[in-house]
Amino acid sequence: DADVTQTPRNRITKTGKRIMLECSQTKGHDRMYWYRQDPGLGLRLIYYSFDVKDINKGEISDGYSVSRQAQAKFSLSLESAIPNQTALYFCATSESGGLGTEAFFGQGTRLTVV
Amino acid sequence: LAKTTQPISMDSYEGQEVNITCSHNNIATNDYITWYQQFPSQGPRFIIQGYKTKVTNEVASLFIPADRKSSTLSLPRVSLSDTAVYYCLVGDMGGATNKLIFGTGTLLAVQP
């Protein structure tokens, strides 16, 4: 089983619909992240959370919201989806503390807004 | 967070050694340098991390000069399967301010 699991893996939704992408992890990490990836633009940070009570905006948070339901779960919501939110979305986790650590990524969710 | 600059793309042939350099002029004392690899439609995966001098693992080597203002990821004898995007990140990875900003990375294309 994957350490970082994203659901759904693929989703097609209509403009204006609310949609939630879910992420769960079994690594016991405090930190969780949501990214989107568009062709040729690399990974852009949407939101990040350093613990259950901590939520922070990233580089491109407009049109998105998140919920950290538990240490292991971090959900990304699109309140009213629009076509330019069509992208590949990744969730990631990492440990806190220490000077060096690595991030672990989920398999990604391909979202298409029509 | 230290800003990083790396080439947008590189080409190579199978069996060659590939060196990808990343510039990070304002790296801070507590910052580590970390490289990730991403295949199409997959999440990035950690390759190597270092603080200074040289680090080597089964996948790559990381060379960091004394001033730490740049770093070079070295991939020995690349194969077609090494075609991927490579990201250089600089930051205090476990620290209170690190947000794991990835940037656009370097697209390495390996040809037969």
Side-chain angles (χ1 to χ4, degrees):
Chain A
D1 288 340
D3 294 321
V4 184
T5 302
Q6 294 183 228
T7 56
R9 295 293 310 278
N10 290 281
R11 180 72 181 268
I12 300 174
T13 192
K14 293 183 178 181
T15 298
K17 293 291 187 182
R18 183 179 188 275
I19 182 170
M20 178 181 290
L21 310 184
E22 300 189 3
C23 177
S24 63
Q25 52 115 346
T26 59
K27 298 198 69 70
H29 289 167
D30 292 330
R31 300 184 174 190
M32 299 188 74
Y33 310 79
W34 274 106
Y35 297 87
R36 69 174 279 176
Q37 186 165 40
D38 300 278
L41 293 181
L43 285 157
R44 292 185 289 170
L45 181 64
I46 305 172
Y47 271 96
Y48 62 102
S49 168
F50 281 2
D51 64 42
V52 175
K53 298 180 181 179
D54 177 77
I55 300 291
N56 303 282
K57 292 183 177 181
E59 302 171 283
I60 52 162
S61 58
D62 288 349
Y64 302 94
S65 63
V66 292
S67 172
R68 184 82 184 266
Q69 303 94 321
Q71 185 196 41
K73 297 184 182 296
F74 192 37
S75 299
L76 175 72
S77 294
L78 286 65
E79 298 301 326
S80 179
I82 56 177
N84 77 359
Q85 291 177 313
T86 292
L88 184 56
Y89 291 84
F90 288 103
C91 172
T93 74
S94 70
E95 289 184 291
S96 60
L99 292 179
T101 189
E102 65 178 277
F104 295 84
F105 282 78
Q107 316 96 309
T109 295
R110 187 169 298 280
L111 176 66
T112 302
V113 183
V114 297
Chain B
L1 295 174
K3 177 178 171 57
T4 61
T5 302
Q6 52 184 121
I8 294 174
S9 64
M10 295 182 68
D11 294 321
S12 182
Y13 292 95
E14 283 192 293
Q16 289 186 334
E17 178 185 75
V18 171
N19 296 307
I20 305 175
T21 297
C22 179
S23 298
H24 29 81
N25 290 319
N26 59 340
I27 189 169
T29 302
N30 287 344
D31 288 347
Y32 272 62
I33 301 158
T34 309
W35 285 80
Y36 287 81
Q37 175 191 55
Q38 185 183 27
F39 297 115
S41 299
Q42 295 185 26
R45 68 171 186 136
F46 173 93
I47 301 177
I48 197 166
Q49 185 178 78
Y51 185 79
K52 61 181 179 181
T53 62
K54 176 184 175 182
V55 179
T56 297
N57 62 22
E58 65 277 6
V59 177
S61 294
L62 179 59
F63 298 91
I64 305 168
D67 66 5
R68 303 203 325 125
K69 293 183 182 300
S70 67
S71 58
T72 298
L73 174 72
S74 182
L75 304 173
R77 298 180 297 282
V78 296
S79 64
L80 296 176
S81 63
D82 291 314
T83 294
V85 177
Y86 293 83
Y87 297 94
C88 166
L89 277 71
V90 172
D92 176 6
M93 297 303 170
T97 59
N98 183 54
K99 297 184 286 187
L100 289 183
I101 301 295
F102 271 75
T104 56
T106 298
L107 173 59
L108 172 65
V110 180
Q111 301 177 28

